[in-house]
Amino acid sequence: TQLLEQSPQFLSIQEGENLTVYCNSSSVFSSLQWYRQEPGEGPVLLVTVVTGGEVKKLKRLTFQFGDARKDSSLHITAAQPGDTGLYLCAGATNFNKFYFGSGTKLNVKP
Amino acid sequence: NAGVMQNPRHLVRRRGQEARLRCSPMKGHSHVYWYRQLPEEGLKFMVYLQKENIIDESGMPKERFSAEFPKEGPSILRIQQVVRGDSAAYFCASSLAGGLQETQYFGPGTRLLVL
């Protein structure tokens, strides 16, 4: 049973398109993190959201934490081939344990 | 490079052998976490350790798996009598302190293949 469901699982788009990735759960999280992982490497933290309704922007990436702190979304504007990778969300429900979603594999074609 | 280091990066073992995976946290970090990742999947929490203490091992199988983080030296994840189902990427992460908002920095992982 996956505590965090990510959708879509796979996404292949052309350079310049916009996209949104979703991370949903029936559980409430104290915080939620988004990571990007490239093949053969470990995940790299992109952002941490803590407050319900919070929106954070990181250049072309916009992260939103749901009001009820059960879900989150990542929106990428004008995707570039360098955005290709596995995007993982991770929620913290109790002390120092993070539950990861299964990831969204993004491929941006030039 | 002051990042989290893991070695070996790739490890091949035959069924029944032992696998030892090492993780050196970032300098100054005293909290270490181990995760396991199967292909096309997210990371699954295994164990959380501080220096000389196991804080949470609820994600680690009770048999054949053990972890330690000694006062000196790297953290070790040990898998005894490996089976094919143990084949996966094992990631270590470290953080400066505990707490839900502490950033976890991940190492490059060890890819274990059991023949």
Side-chain angles (χ1 to χ4, degrees), chain A residues 52-87:
Chain A
E54 182 176 2
V55 176
K56 278 192 176 178
K57 292 197 175 196
L58 188 67
K59 296 184 180 177
R60 294 177 295 102
L61 277 61
T62 302
F63 304 86
Q64 186 160 9
F65 201 12
D67 291 340
R69 289 187 289 133
K70 291 183 180 181
D71 51 77
S72 181
S73 65
L74 157 60
H75 182 79
I76 301 179
T77 304
Q80 299 175 1
D83 295 328
T84 293
L86 179 68
Y87 288 82

Side-chain angles (χ1 to χ4, degrees), chain B:
Chain B
N1 184 351
V4 178
M5 294 195 293
Q6 290 188 249
N7 68 82
R9 292 290 303 269
H10 299 273
L11 183 61
V12 180
R13 284 287 178 266
R14 295 193 181 279
R15 281 178 296 170
Q17 291 184 320
E18 178 180 287
R20 278 188 182 236
L21 288 61
R22 293 175 192 78
C23 168
S24 296
M26 285 182 70
K27 189 175 182 181
H29 286 194
S30 59
H31 298 248
V32 165
Y33 315 77
W34 284 93
Y35 294 85
R36 173 179 145 130
Q37 185 179 37
L38 293 172
E40 310 297 336
E41 291 190 11
L43 282 71
K44 292 213 168 20
F45 168 82
M46 297 181 73
V47 62
Y48 161 43
L49 310 104
Q50 291 182 35
K51 284 281 187 182
E52 300 184 277
N53 287 306
I54 296 176
I55 306 301
D56 183 345
E57 56 182 347
S58 59
M60 198 158 66
K62 300 232 182 301
E63 296 180 357
R64 302 189 299 108
F65 285 72
S66 62
E68 63 176 13
F69 188 15
K71 188 177 179 181
E72 301 290 337
S75 175
I76 306 284
L77 178 67
R78 183 179 174 210
I79 311 173
Q80 295 178 288
Q81 299 172 344
V82 295
V83 301
R84 287 214 174 113
D86 296 333
S87 295
Y90 292 84
F91 289 95
C92 160
S94 74
S95 65
L96 185 61
L100 295 171
Q101 298 177 36
E102 275 295 318
T103 297
Q104 294 188 13
Y105 295 88
F106 282 83
T110 293
R111 277 137 193 91
L112 172 66
L113 175 61
V114 180
L115 301 176

Side-chain angles (χ1 to χ4, degrees), chain A residues 26-37:
Chain A
S26 57
S27 299
V28 176
F29 296 103
S30 301
S31 67
L32 195 138
Q33 302 184 330
W34 283 92
Y35 292 83
R36 179 166 160 264
Q37 184 180 20

